[in-house]
Amino acid sequence: MAKNGFFSLEQIEEKVYLKVTPPEDGGIMFRTDEVTNYLDQIKFPDYDLVALDTYIKGNDFENPLYLWTGKMIPETERVFVHITDKGMKALARFYPPSTGGSLLTENEIISDVKMAGVKHGIRRKAIQHFLEHHEYCHDYIIAVATQPVQGRDAKIKYYFDVNATAKPKLNEDGSVDFHQLGNIRDVEEGDKLATLTPAIKGTAGINVLGKKIPPQKVKVKRLRFGRDIVLSENGCNLYSKISGHVTLVDDMVMVSNIYRVPANVDSSTGDIQYKGTVEVAGNVNTGFRIEADGDIVVNGVAEGAVLISGGNVVLKRGMQGMDKGEIVAKGNVTAKFLENCTVSCQGSLKADAILHSHVECRENITVRGKKGMINGGHVETYGTIHATALGSTMGAKTEVIVKNDTDLIIQTNDMKERIDEIQAEMEKITKVSEGVRSLVEAGEEISPEQLQFMKRAAKSKPKLARELKNISLERQDVLERIERHKRACIKVEAAVYSGVDVGVKDAHRKISENISRCRMVRDGADVKIDSL
């Protein structure tokens, strides 16, 4: 068994010597600075440091080394404690007593360890091992931290293709395949739609200094769903109440029936307002309007029409808006082309071309068909804009903007102020209600004003609680969006033509000459252009 080398002080008559016991069986030899540190700790008188270093490095320990002339007070067995790994463990190193010195007891060792700052996790087995073997100049793990018990993130399992409405097939040439979108997922009444595995919070640990070690934060999720869906009693499963189709819009599960228009939306159908998905086999003619809580799918051309969707909008042949066409979608917009129209969507947008249109998005915009052109008009989003070309040789006024999230940050701050107001109001209601309840329990009469307050509180507190929950969830969604688009930029695969105005997070630049294959990012107050 390997034993480290160690040293001790010996009093021989009127002189003090350093006696060295060399290591055995592959043990480790101590260094000079360990001896000097020990001597400093016991406040040993002056000695010859050079002679000490030469003696230890000489490796000849048959005779002890003279240190000092005089009578020294006997030193007891010593323990030095070193806290390491940011308080995760403590090491103890023991040194033998000098001539006439006593050995440490278990209680004395524990007391010395605590004096060194260790408050938790002392290993009595390590102390017992030392007391049995007295191994000196050897690191004992004298204390260890209690590790935190990590929690578990919440998980949601969806029993349908969540990407069906968000990712149309992209062909090798960059165009979008509208023939096999697969963006409607059928469900039957009673089908399970999603299962939530709730988050489990972790348990804090304690380091050897007695301080808490917090567990990692866990991600909390919730099941969000629309109409015609039932939540199980345990709050962890969603089931469809109807036969129809299911979509996922901004993490909200929605089911609905589908209203199919066999031909065009025109004077034969009038305007359409529907609580589910609307699928049009033909065109949507100028002047007509479709409003749907679910998706809107148009197999033909949308002309100067208005399409308002609570989900996604899919235009398989695009929109020729004639400056009258308008699309408003809470989900994604996918179109063959968008021309002379206005688009506002809370999700992402994919098209083969955007021409002379005003487009506002919250997520990424991808225009990468055969031409992949954004030419004329104004296109802006919080996400990344990825196109084949910006502008054209014709010089039509074209603005392409990646918006700054300053307005979103202001929005979250306003929400936080409202959250604080609601919490303060609820605390006031609780405090007054508890006071009135105490009076009633004590048999005292309450005033008409107090009774009226209790009635108002019974109505207003649940309403405030719902508002608090909704605004807190909405604020979390906005914060996640800010984080998601921190590195948003403009990417162009082919050409950016002269005259195009670009902006990235409040930095603006007018392109003065044609450039190709580039990536535009904000650099201070300017737009920096890098090659792809």
Side-chain angles (χ1 to χ4, degrees):
M1 180 179 177
K3 288 188 177 182
N4 291 350
F6 64 93
F7 59 88
S8 60
L9 298 179
E10 287 194 344
Q11 179 81 55
I12 303 176
E13 296 180 350
E14 298 294 324
K15 295 181 180 180
V16 179
Y17 295 87
L18 181 78
K19 180 182 177 182
V20 174
T21 301
E24 298 178 6
D25 300 327
I28 300 172
M29 181 61 181
F30 58 84
R31 302 192 316 179
T32 303
D33 57 0
E34 185 169 2
V35 181
T36 59
N37 181 58
Y38 172 81
L39 296 175
D40 290 345
Q41 290 291 329
I42 67 171
K43 296 181 172 52
F44 192 81
D46 291 339
Y47 54 91
D48 189 337
L49 178 59
V50 175
L52 174 62
D53 187 56
T54 302
Y55 176 73
I56 292 174
K57 292 179 179 178
N59 205 30
D60 182 6
F61 308 121
E62 184 175 352
N63 297 314
L65 173 69
Y66 164 77
L67 291 178
W68 179 68
T69 299
K71 283 279 189 180
M72 68 173 287
I73 299 173
E75 288 291 335
T76 63
E77 200 171 38
R78 288 259 182 166
V79 57
F80 294 165
V81 178
H82 173 60
I83 297 172
T84 185
D85 291 345
K86 298 181 180 180
M88 297 306 291
K89 65 181 178 181
L91 303 177
R93 205 165 173 91
F94 293 88
Y95 299 93
S98 65
T99 303
S102 61
L103 298 176
L104 288 169
T105 66
E106 180 178 357
N107 289 337
E108 288 172 335
I109 293 173
I110 292 174
S111 177
D112 288 346
V113 170
K114 289 182 177 179
M115 286 292 292
V118 177
K119 298 180 180 179
H120 175 79
I122 295 176
R123 301 177 67 237
R124 290 183 176 269
K125 285 186 178 180
I127 297 174
Q128 288 297 329
H129 185 277
F130 168 74
L131 293 174
E132 292 174 7
H133 299 90
H134 289 278
E135 293 183 36
Y136 300 115
C137 295
H138 168 82
D139 285 333
Y140 283 86
I141 300 177
I142 204 71
V144 293
T146 298
Q147 296 285 349
V149 177
Q150 301 300 342
R152 183 184 67 193
D153 292 341
K155 293 182 180 180
I156 297 178
K157 179 181 179 181
Y158 297 101
Y159 296 92
F160 56 93
D161 185 0
V162 298
N163 298 313
T165 59
K167 294 182 179 179
K169 182 181 177 182
L170 195 66
N171 295 324
E172 292 182 0
D173 63 359
S175 63
V176 179
D177 181 1
F178 294 96
H179 299 288
Q180 298 179 356
L181 283 175
N183 63 330
I184 297 177
R185 186 70 173 180
D186 294 333
V187 294
E188 298 295 330
E189 181 180 353
D191 282 356
K192 182 184 287 189
L193 304 175
T195 295
L196 168 68
T197 302
I200 298 177
K201 292 184 178 181
T203 303
I206 305 176
N207 68 13
V208 298
L209 298 172
K211 296 181 179 179
K212 285 187 176 181
I213 307 171
Q216 295 178 358
K217 290 185 178 180
V218 296
K219 293 182 180 179
V220 178
K221 295 184 178 182
R222 67 192 187 283
L223 289 172
R224 300 179 61 213
F225 56 96
R227 61 194 299 271
D228 293 324
I229 293 175
V230 62
L231 180 67
S232 63
E233 290 185 3
N234 61 7
C236 293
N237 295 289
L238 295 181
Y239 298 91
S240 177
K241 292 171 65 177
I242 62 172
S243 296
H245 83 282
V246 58
T247 56
L248 188 68
V249 180
D250 288 338
D251 295 329
M252 177 177 285
V253 181
M254 297 179 62
V255 296
S256 66
N257 296 325
I258 301 172
Y259 181 80
R260 292 181 173 89
V261 181
N264 299 334
V265 174
D266 53 22
S267 58
S268 66
T269 64
D271 292 340
I272 296 174
Q273 186 172 0
Y274 188 64
K275 293 294 184 181
T277 288
V278 174
E279 183 175 348
V280 181
N283 303 329
V284 183
N285 290 355
T286 298
F288 289 91
R289 181 185 188 94
I290 298 176
E291 291 187 45
D293 289 356
D295 302 333
I296 296 176
V297 180
V298 180
N299 289 278
V301 175
E303 299 177 350
V306 176
L307 310 178
I308 300 176
S309 169
N312 306 300
V313 172
V314 177
L315 307 179
K316 294 185 180 180
R317 291 183 58 192
M319 171 174 273
Q320 172 52 268
M322 297 177 285
D323 293 328
K324 298 178 181 178
E326 181 181 1
I327 299 172
V328 178
K330 288 187 177 181
N332 307 318
V333 172
T334 304
K336 188 70 176 176
F337 68 90
L338 297 168
E339 184 174 355
N340 292 306
C341 61
T342 300
V343 180
S344 173
C345 74
Q346 296 182 20
S348 61
L349 183 147
K350 291 184 179 182
D352 283 3
I354 301 177
L355 305 172
H356 308 288
S357 296
H358 186 96
V359 176
E360 295 183 7
C361 264
R362 288 188 180 180
E363 303 294 338
N364 298 335
I365 294 177
T366 304
V367 186
R368 294 184 59 202
K370 290 181 180 179
K371 293 183 178 180
M373 177 188 298
I374 299 176
N375 182 32
H378 178 95
V379 175
E380 67 175 43
T381 182
Y382 291 101
T384 291
I385 299 174
H386 195 172
T388 302
L390 300 182
S392 69
T393 56
M394 302 299 291
K397 181 177 175 59
T398 305
E399 293 180 329
V400 181
I401 307 294
V402 173
K403 296 175 66 175
N404 200 330
D405 54 13
T406 302
D407 57 335
L408 296 180
I409 295 173
I410 293 173
Q411 183 181 350
T412 61
N413 292 339
D414 292 340
M415 290 178 179
K416 182 61 169 64
E417 290 180 4
R418 179 55 185 158
I419 288 171
D420 292 340
E421 291 173 0
I422 295 173
Q423 290 175 336
E425 190 170 352
M426 292 180 68
E427 289 175 2
K428 179 182 177 181
I429 291 173
T430 300
K431 185 176 181 180
V432 175
S433 298
E434 288 176 351
V436 173
R437 193 174 294 110
S438 297
L439 292 175
V440 173
E441 291 175 352
E444 298 182 20
E445 292 186 4
I446 58 175
S447 66
E449 291 79 12
Q450 290 173 322
L451 180 60
Q452 191 64 29
F453 176 86
M454 292 292 288
K455 291 180 179 179
R456 289 198 305 269
K459 293 181 179 179
S460 63
K461 192 171 181 180
K463 183 178 178 181
L464 289 171
R466 286 192 299 271
E467 183 182 357
L468 178 62
K469 179 181 179 180
N470 292 336
I471 197 170
S472 297
L473 295 175
E474 184 180 356
R475 183 171 183 269
Q476 183 60 36
D477 288 342
V478 177
L479 289 171
E480 290 174 359
R481 193 192 320 154
I482 293 172
E483 181 65 24
R484 188 162 60 245
H485 297 312
K486 285 173 68 174
R487 294 178 178 82
C489 64
I490 300 172
K491 293 192 288 187
V492 181
E493 298 289 342
V496 181
Y497 291 93
S498 173
V500 174
D501 290 318
V502 297
V504 182
K505 297 183 180 292
D506 286 345
H508 295 272
R509 179 169 181 168
K510 191 178 185 69
I511 304 303
S512 58
E513 59 182 6
N514 295 350
I515 53 177
S516 61
R517 288 192 58 78
C518 62
R519 176 175 175 268
M520 290 173 268
V521 298
R522 178 178 175 177
D523 185 12
D526 298 318
V527 175
K528 178 182 177 183
I529 300 178
D530 296 325
S531 60
L532 284 179

